[in-house]
Amino acid sequence: MLNYRLHHLKLRNKLVFIYIVCVFIPIILTNVMFYHVTTINIKNQKTTDAEQAINLLKAEFGAVIEDAAGISYLYSINKQLNNHLNTLHVSHDHYVESLNAISNLFNRADKEYKSISSVVIMSDNPSILASSHIIRLENEMRNTDWYHQIENFNNTYPYLYVTSDSISVIQKLSDPRFETYEHVMKIDLNMKYINQILDLSSFEGDFYFMDPSFQARYSRLSSGQPSDLIQTGRTLSLKEIPVPNKAIIISKQYHNNRYLGDWTIYGVLDEEKILYDVRQSGQFILWFAGINFLVPTIVIVIVSRSIHTRIQKILKHMKSVKGKNFERIPYHRERDEVGELAVEFNRMSERIENLINDVYVTEIQKKELELSQRQAQLHALHSQINPHFLFNALETIRMRSQMKGELQTAKTIQNMAKIFRKSILWKRSFVTIREELELIESFLEIQKYRFDTKLEFHIEVDQSLLDIEIPKMTFLPFVENASIHGIESVPGIGYITIQIAQEQGQIVFLIADNGVGMDQEKISELHHYLHDEAIMGDSIGMKNVITRLKICYGESFSFTIDSSPGGGSRIMLRLPLDKKKINSEQ
């Protein structure tokens, strides 16, 4: 069954089929599969690397905060510091002496921890003198956001306070139940050290540090800048974090930690960015695919052209035999099957030509002589009714009428000659509106001669439309129908008005008369007749116009009739201004 169908395919189509199945489709599928597998592998590898980077960031962030928490713990259990803060010092010297006794505690934190920016203890003890590490707890400090956060917080563990540009560990050092004065320690992390950790990280996406309520309080975008959406007093919820169309989300939460519990390291990775290298390498894949595609294509085109063009040449010469053309196929000693076919065709053509010349030439010459004699007789008959003879006869009658003073008769004969000449000599399917109007005016002048003073007509036309081409004799049949069927039966003067204008990209032809008119039943019959396939009745001219307009414009034209008994008729024809001619003019 498959072989039977292949036998009906032309040779070129067979070669195209072989090319598509054996070259084009395999190349496309191979490259698409290779690109798809490569993309998936790289995406998986990048995702794994991103998870490892987030885990490392989580560990490093935890270590830095652990260091700060360790310092807060050492300070909170130090008895000398506790005594110093809770003692009401009697003099400045006594305070300085007590402060020097605990200075080693502060010096150790400053030297050993690079991740710590500052350690400050705030106390409302009135005997406290401000220094680099211990200052007075003023009301301004109590009005800050960090103080409000720890106001009702248990002092057993340190509190992690994070803003858009700082990270602090805050620890209450006093218990209001047992101690008179309030002491608060605030440890600020070194943000340069934090940024250095983020700079050295291999994570390529956006980084967010989220509190237990899933509010992003600190961020670092892939560009290296903090997010403008997180500012002082402004956080981002999980839904508000900007996420690209294709995103890889990596979330790592701290568990079983007394002060980092439920805080989350949140990473957003743009899939398009991590696959950028793959997209770039896709260009090389396209180049290789193009080479694999182009080379076989050139070879197949050359081979198929060698076969196809010569077979087409043989087929062309075979068809020319019908016209008694026995021209030989040029043969260049090709040794393939097509060359052998050309040789055999040349032999066959030569034998047929010799046979025709030997047997039928004489008979054909005799038949052609008899045909020539009959054609000469036919031309002699045609010359008796030659159109030029009729034109000359009408011109002679017109001149004689003019010499006798019958000027109206002479003018009517001249209009008849014009109509007759145009109908005979118009070889084109399309004429200009100017030429169509000349024909209409000649026709109406003849009708005025026929009806005497009973007919009046008026023509208005948009001058810019005069050189637009329309199918010939498009308007004339409607004018003829109005003058003969509409005006002829009117007892008084008949008026015919013709208007040609343009509206909304269309040519609008409007003809109106004050004739007998038609009722709705007659109009319906006329519409049915004009759109019916059969030809009948006296309106064959109008039907001919409608049929030709359908051929030329399809459904791009419209035709409407508005009439009433005794109220005349009004016909409107709309043609597209940008006409489309039929391919072959008759």
Side-chain angles (χ1 to χ4, degrees):
M1 185 66 180
L2 180 60
N3 289 334
Y4 177 77
R5 293 182 177 179
L6 290 175
H7 292 334
H8 291 280
L9 288 176
K10 292 185 177 181
L11 180 60
R12 172 182 287 180
N13 295 337
K14 291 179 180 177
L15 294 174
V16 170
F17 176 77
I18 294 173
Y19 171 74
I20 292 175
V21 173
C22 300
V23 178
F24 182 76
I25 293 179
I27 289 176
I28 296 297
L29 290 178
T30 300
N31 285 279
V32 168
M33 292 178 64
F34 175 76
Y35 182 77
H36 181 67
V37 171
T38 303
T39 302
I40 292 176
N41 291 337
I42 292 180
K43 179 182 176 182
N44 293 337
Q45 183 62 45
K46 289 285 187 179
T47 304
T48 302
D49 294 342
E51 287 186 353
Q52 293 178 354
I54 288 293
N55 284 327
L56 183 59
L57 283 175
K58 176 186 175 184
E60 291 177 341
F61 259 70
V64 170
I65 296 172
E66 285 279 358
D67 290 341
I71 292 175
S72 69
Y73 177 74
L74 291 176
Y75 280 34
S76 64
I77 64 174
N78 190 282
K79 293 183 177 180
Q80 286 183 314
L81 176 61
N82 187 48
N83 291 331
H84 175 76
L85 295 174
N86 289 304
T87 299
L88 184 64
H89 302 280
V90 295
S91 66
H92 294 334
D93 293 337
H94 183 269
Y95 177 81
V96 173
E97 183 181 352
S98 176
L99 181 63
N100 289 334
I102 60 173
S103 60
N104 291 332
L105 180 67
F106 298 112
N107 293 335
R108 179 183 175 186
D110 293 340
K111 294 179 180 179
E112 294 183 1
Y113 296 98
K114 295 181 180 179
S115 60
I116 305 301
S117 175
S118 65
V119 178
V120 178
I121 298 174
M122 289 155 278
S123 174
D124 60 358
N125 186 338
S127 63
I128 292 293
L129 298 178
S131 63
S132 58
H133 294 290
I134 301 176
I135 61 176
R136 290 286 299 273
L137 180 61
E138 305 289 351
N139 290 331
E140 294 180 359
M141 299 177 185
R142 287 189 172 96
N143 292 328
T144 58
D145 180 65
W146 63 263
Y147 185 86
H148 292 312
Q149 295 290 334
I150 67 166
E151 192 170 5
N152 299 318
F153 186 73
N154 186 357
N155 66 341
T156 306
Y157 305 112
Y159 178 81
L160 184 61
Y161 179 74
V162 181
T163 66
S164 61
D165 55 1
S166 67
I167 300 176
S168 303
V169 175
I170 304 173
Q171 174 75 58
K172 285 185 177 182
L173 299 179
S174 60
D175 191 339
R177 296 175 298 175
F178 308 107
E179 298 174 350
T180 305
Y181 305 113
E182 181 182 4
H183 318 297
V184 179
M185 180 174 59
K186 186 170 181 285
I187 303 174
D188 293 330
L189 300 185
N190 187 350
M191 296 311 296
K192 290 184 178 179
Y193 186 81
I194 297 296
N195 289 330
Q196 186 178 6
I197 291 175
L198 294 173
D199 291 338
L200 296 176
S201 173
S202 61
F203 184 70
E204 300 175 354
D206 299 337
F207 170 84
Y208 297 92
F209 194 35
M210 308 189 73
D211 63 14
S213 61
F214 290 99
Q215 295 290 321
R217 295 187 173 272
Y218 182 80
S219 66
R220 178 75 173 270
L221 302 181
S222 59
S223 61
Q225 300 297 323
S227 174
D228 295 335
L229 301 177
I230 301 178
Q231 300 174 357
T232 303
R234 172 80 168 90
T235 60
L236 280 181
S237 66
L238 193 61
K239 294 182 179 179
E240 293 174 334
I241 293 178
V243 177
N245 292 332
K246 294 182 179 180
I248 299 175
I249 306 297
I250 302 174
S251 178
K252 299 296 180 180
Q253 193 173 41
Y254 290 96
H255 296 289
N256 301 324
N257 193 301
R258 290 173 295 182
Y259 38 85
L260 272 175
D262 296 332
W263 280 77
T264 303
I265 301 293
Y266 193 81
V268 178
L269 202 60
D270 190 349
E271 184 178 316
E272 292 297 327
K273 290 183 178 179
I274 68 174
L275 295 179
Y276 176 77
D277 294 336
V278 181
R279 305 284 189 249
Q280 293 296 106
S281 63
Q283 296 181 359
F284 294 100
I285 295 175
L286 290 176
W287 278 106
F288 288 130
I291 294 173
N292 293 334
F293 176 77
L294 186 61
V295 173
T297 300
I298 294 175
V299 173
I300 291 176
V301 167
I302 294 174
V303 174
S304 63
R305 183 176 179 82
S306 170
I307 299 173
H308 178 74
T309 54
R310 290 189 294 152
I311 290 180
Q312 286 290 330
K313 188 179 295 184
I314 293 174
L315 183 60
K316 177 182 177 182
H317 282 77
M318 286 183 175
K319 292 180 179 180
S320 66
V321 172
K322 296 179 181 178
K324 300 179 183 179
N325 182 6
F326 298 98
E327 182 182 357
R328 308 299 188 268
I329 300 174
Y331 176 63
H332 303 287
R333 298 183 179 277
E334 297 93 342
R335 296 183 180 181
D336 60 356
E337 290 81 355
V338 180
E340 293 179 1
L341 183 62
V343 171
E344 294 302 323
F345 175 80
N346 289 340
R347 290 177 183 174
M348 181 188 68
S349 297
E350 184 178 3
R351 291 183 63 185
I352 293 176
E353 185 178 17
N354 293 334
L355 183 62
I356 291 177
N357 290 335
D358 293 341
V359 178
Y360 297 107
V361 168
T362 304
E363 186 67 23
I364 290 174
Q365 290 176 349
K366 186 183 296 184
K367 295 292 184 181
E368 288 179 350
L369 180 60
E370 293 178 0
L371 182 60
S372 298
Q373 292 175 351
R374 293 183 179 179
Q375 286 180 346
Q377 294 175 358
L378 183 60
H379 283 307
L381 292 173
H382 284 176
S383 64
Q384 297 177 13
I385 56 171
N386 192 289
H388 294 286
F389 170 77
L390 294 177
F391 296 152
N392 293 335
L394 288 172
E395 182 64 19
T396 300
I397 296 172
R398 185 186 70 82
M399 292 296 294
R400 297 284 293 177
S401 299
Q402 195 169 9
M403 290 173 61
K404 292 181 179 182
E406 298 176 355
L407 299 180
Q408 190 173 6
T409 302
K411 184 178 180 181
T412 301
I413 293 174
Q414 185 180 16
N415 288 326
M416 289 179 61
K418 283 184 181 180
I419 294 176
F420 185 54
R421 184 182 296 274
K422 288 183 180 295
S423 64
I424 295 298
L425 298 182
W426 273 359
K427 301 299 183 182
R428 297 168 294 150
S429 296
F430 282 78
V431 297
T432 63
I433 292 180
R434 187 191 308 276
E435 293 172 318
E436 181 82 2
L437 285 176
E438 291 174 358
L439 193 64
I440 290 174
E441 288 178 355
S442 297
F443 174 80
L444 288 174
E445 289 294 341
I446 293 174
Q447 293 301 105
K448 283 193 68 174
Y449 178 77
R450 173 187 175 192
F451 293 116
D452 197 9
T453 59
K454 187 180 178 180
L455 175 64
E456 294 291 338
F457 66 89
H458 176 69
I459 299 176
E460 294 181 8
V461 61
D462 186 344
Q463 298 298 313
S464 63
L465 300 175
L466 289 177
D467 294 322
I468 299 297
E469 292 188 346
I470 60 174
K472 66 181 181 181
M473 294 188 182
T474 296
F475 302 150
L476 182 60
F478 296 102
V479 177
E480 178 185 0
N481 191 72
S483 62
I484 295 176
H485 298 288
I487 302 300
E488 187 172 4
S489 301
V490 174
I493 298 177
Y495 293 97
I496 295 178
T497 302
I498 298 174
Q499 293 178 322
I500 301 177
Q502 59 176 321
E503 180 180 314
Q504 297 179 353
Q506 291 182 318
I507 301 172
V508 180
F509 169 77
L510 178 64
I511 178 171
D513 62 66
N514 63 338
V516 295
M518 296 178 287
D519 55 19
Q520 288 300 320
E521 183 178 357
K522 182 65 177 178
I523 293 175
S524 300
E525 291 179 0
L526 182 59
H527 272 294
H528 181 268
Y529 162 72
L530 292 176
H531 293 88
D532 192 8
E533 295 293 335
I535 299 177
M536 64 179 183
D538 296 332
S539 298
I540 187 169
M542 291 174 60
K543 184 175 182 65
N544 181 273
V545 171
I546 298 300
T547 302
R548 286 189 294 117
L549 292 180
K550 285 182 179 179
I551 295 174
C552 293
Y553 300 112
E555 299 299 328
S556 299
F557 78 97
S558 63
F559 168 73
T560 57
I561 302 175
D562 184 14
S563 181
S564 61
S569 299
R570 185 174 180 270
I571 295 177
M572 180 179 292
L573 190 64
R574 289 179 176 268
L575 304 179
L577 193 57
D578 52 342
K579 63 172 180 39
K580 298 178 180 179
K581 291 188 178 182
I582 54 177
N583 294 330
S584 58
E585 295 185 352
Q586 296 181 353

